[in-house]
């Protein structure tokens, strides 16, 4: 890998892409699968343990939590980075908590960077392209002062199909609620919390009571 830097003076605007944190974690899992599949001889046992489904994903998350959880709770200095020493208690009930912390930190840093650069920002939600590909594309091009490509006859090139998979069964309602609270705690930024609010799940105690009564 090659790491490069460039002058912030060339940045005049920013596009901040936001994806559902739960879908994002699953996408990270799929990326790991693709990387390991490049060398099946070496990683066959890994791929056998983590099939490309909800069971494989949950195993992957549980193993990640087991491998790194003790260090994160007992040895990592969270206060050094401005967090209270009890931040790790919000890991409880969160599947793939390290991925969720990484997700929240990325967005917090992206927001802070744009603010420091003092440039206009367009916030783009991944799933909006599935709902309104044409409209969202046109808004993005307008923000960037760009125009749609045309073919040899001067007609606008058709946009490729945008597909979005359904992973709603990969997380329970309780896991989504616990994850929402963890992300809020890590963000510590009203702007970030506002931007991600559409993905948050709240604990609905009355609903849980009703469900319990129905079971009883």
């Amino acid at each position: 890998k090659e790491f490069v830097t460039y002058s912030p003076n060339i940045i005049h605007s920013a596009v901040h892409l936001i994806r559902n944190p739960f879908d994002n974690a699953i996408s990270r899992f799929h990326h790991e699968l693709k990387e390991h599949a490049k060398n099946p001889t070496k990683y066959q046992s890994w791929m056998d343990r983590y099939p490309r489904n909800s069971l494989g994903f949950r195993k992957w998350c549980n193993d990640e939590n087991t491998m790194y959880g003790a260090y994160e709770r007992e040895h990592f200095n969270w206060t050094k980075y401005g967090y209270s020493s009890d931040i790790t208690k919000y890991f409880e009930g969160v599947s793939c908590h390290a991925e969720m912390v990484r997700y929240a930190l990325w967005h917090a840093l992206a927001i802070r960077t744009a603010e420091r650069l003092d440039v206009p920002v367009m916030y783009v939600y991944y799933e909006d392209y599935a709902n309104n590909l044409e409209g969202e594309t046109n808004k993005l091009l307008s923000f960037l002062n760009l125009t749609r490509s045309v073919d040899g006859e001067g007609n606008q090139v058709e946009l490729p199909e945008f597909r979005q998979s359904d992973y709603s069964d990969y997380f329970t309602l309780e896991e989504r609620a616990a994850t929402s609270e963890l992300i809020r705690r890590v963000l510590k930024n009203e702007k970030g919390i506002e931007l991600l609010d559409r993905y948050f799940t709240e604990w609905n105690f009355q609903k849980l009571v009703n469900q319990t009564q129905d079971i009883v």
Side-chain angles (χ1 to χ4, degrees):
K1 293 182 179 180
E2 181 181 0
F3 296 91
V4 297
T5 60
Y6 50 86
S7 172
N9 294 326
I10 68 175
I11 302 174
H12 301 292
S13 60
V15 177
H16 185 150
L17 178 63
I18 303 171
R19 190 177 187 183
N20 183 313
F22 305 99
D23 289 354
N24 188 76
I26 296 164
S27 179
R28 298 263 300 175
F29 169 59
H30 290 166
H31 175 72
E32 288 293 315
L33 288 174
K34 290 178 182 178
E35 289 299 305
H36 283 79
K38 293 177 181 178
N39 192 340
T41 302
K42 181 177 180 180
Y43 295 113
Q44 188 59 54
S45 61
W46 191 98
M47 293 186 293
D48 290 341
R49 178 167 178 76
Y50 307 119
R52 188 188 171 92
N53 53 36
S54 59
L55 178 61
F57 173 72
R58 297 189 75 84
K59 282 185 178 180
W60 180 68
C61 286
N62 289 337
D63 287 351
E64 291 284 306
N65 289 350
T66 299
M67 284 190 292
Y68 305 113
Y71 171 78
E72 293 166 345
R73 289 176 172 82
E74 299 170 15
H75 303 291
F76 190 80
N77 186 1
W78 291 95
T79 57
K80 178 181 177 181
Y81 298 95
Y83 293 97
S84 62
S85 58
D86 67 345
I87 185 68
T88 57
K89 73 180 184 181
Y90 296 100
F91 293 172
E92 297 300 326
V94 178
S95 184
C96 271
H97 69 260
E99 291 296 331
M100 299 307 179
V101 169
R102 188 178 294 112
Y103 171 94
L105 288 175
W106 189 94
H107 285 291
L109 290 172
I111 292 169
R112 190 183 313 163
T113 299
E115 289 175 345
R116 289 184 176 180
L117 292 173
D118 193 25
V119 295
V121 182
M122 179 178 180
Y123 297 99
V124 179
Y125 290 94
Y126 183 91
E127 63 273 11
D128 287 352
Y129 281 91
N131 300 326
N132 182 17
L133 179 59
E134 188 81 18
E136 291 300 313
T137 300
N138 289 337
K139 285 195 294 185
L140 178 59
L141 291 174
S142 176
F143 176 76
L144 297 174
N145 294 316
L146 298 174
T147 57
R148 287 272 291 275
S149 299
V150 296
D151 59 23
E153 299 178 354
N155 299 314
Q156 285 189 345
V157 175
E158 289 190 12
L159 297 172
E161 182 181 1
F162 189 92
R163 297 180 180 179
Q164 184 175 14
S165 300
D166 180 12
Y167 301 118
S168 56
D169 62 332
Y170 276 56
F171 294 87
T172 66
L173 178 63
E174 292 78 11
E175 287 172 334
R176 290 176 183 274
T179 300
S180 299
E181 185 60 26
L182 172 62
I183 291 176
R184 287 194 192 95
R185 297 282 175 172
V186 174
L187 278 173
K188 298 192 306 182
N189 180 296
E190 289 300 323
K191 181 65 175 179
I193 293 173
E194 177 186 343
L195 288 171
L196 298 177
D197 183 70
R198 65 164 67 183
Y199 304 120
F200 292 154
T201 297
E202 305 296 336
W203 286 105
N204 188 329
F205 289 104
Q206 188 56 52
K207 182 177 180 180
L208 292 175
V209 170
N210 293 339
Q211 290 175 339
T212 302
Q213 291 176 340
D214 291 339
I215 294 173
V216 174

